[in-house]
Amino acid sequence: MTVYTTMDSPLGPLLLVGRESPTAQGGTALAALSLPGQKNGAVVQDGWREDPDAFREIAAQLRWYFEGRLTSFDIEYVPGGTDFRQRVWKALEDIPYGTTLSYGEITARIGAPRAAVRAVGTAIGANPLLVVRPCHRVIGANGALTGYAAGLERKRQLLDLESVPV
């Protein structure tokens, strides 16, 4: 069963979407975390059940992150994406709090040829788990802020929260 809730954040209201899971803390695996106006963000569907209690643990971790008290998440995710996207998304999860990598560095980390950098960017743009799978930590090779599905201002807010100079 797909469940959802919304919660306030410094970025605006977050839409949390998940599925019941007997192995997840709090009983819910996260399928999507979206912001209003986000490119390809999740939207509530018919048949989904609103259940704020199902996200109690996930919401607590997000609050602690936004308060600067949490630097990594311990959240079970609903599996998805192609093998290539999963490799890229795993590389995102390995970027430490307060640091950044370029698209080219992500490409190298997953063992893809340099020519795959655009495909890596596309996979990053398809990340359904903003904030918790930190695609905001990926920047251009010249250090510039580049694409973010929820907008560059929100990307800057997240990097500022993590004290990353950009």
Side-chain angles (χ1 to χ4, degrees):
M1 154 112 358
T2 300
V3 292
Y4 75 95
T5 194
T6 58
M7 67 175 280
D8 291 330
S9 82
L11 304 174
L14 303 177
L15 172 62
L16 307 172
V17 180
R19 295 218 178 108
E20 295 171 346
S21 169
T23 58
Q25 289 185 36
T28 302
L30 191 63
L33 190 160
S34 299
L35 289 152
Q38 173 186 330
K39 181 180 174 186
N40 299 319
V43 292
V44 177
Q45 304 290 316
D46 289 339
W48 289 6
R49 182 178 47 122
E50 187 170 12
D51 188 353
D53 288 339
F55 294 92
R56 187 170 303 161
E57 174 64 29
I58 295 167
Q61 289 187 47
L62 285 162
R63 277 192 303 277
W64 297 332
Y65 169 80
F66 288 121
E67 292 169 359
R69 298 177 9 196
L70 184 75
T71 60
S72 64
F73 294 95
D74 184 17
I75 296 172
E76 181 180 313
Y77 304 135
V78 173
T82 64
D83 289 341
F84 181 79
R85 284 184 177 181
Q86 289 177 18
R87 288 175 30 223
V88 172
W89 295 344
K90 173 66 173 110
L92 295 178
E93 293 167 15
D94 292 341
I95 304 172
Y97 180 93
T99 62
T100 58
L101 290 177
S102 71
Y103 293 89
E105 289 170 317
I106 295 290
T107 304
R109 285 190 177 203
I110 66 165
R114 290 179 57 118
V117 73
R118 282 194 173 181
V120 166
T122 299
I124 291 170
N127 173 20
L129 300 169
L130 296 189
V131 183
V132 297
R133 184 182 285 144
C135 54
H136 60 275
R137 296 181 188 152
V138 182
I139 59 173
N142 63 357
L145 289 186
T146 56
Y148 189 61
L152 291 181
E153 181 55 36
R154 287 177 171 143
K155 184 172 190 168
R156 181 175 304 282
Q157 283 179 269
L158 290 166
L159 292 173
D160 286 347
L161 172 75
E162 296 183 13
S163 299
V164 176
V166 285

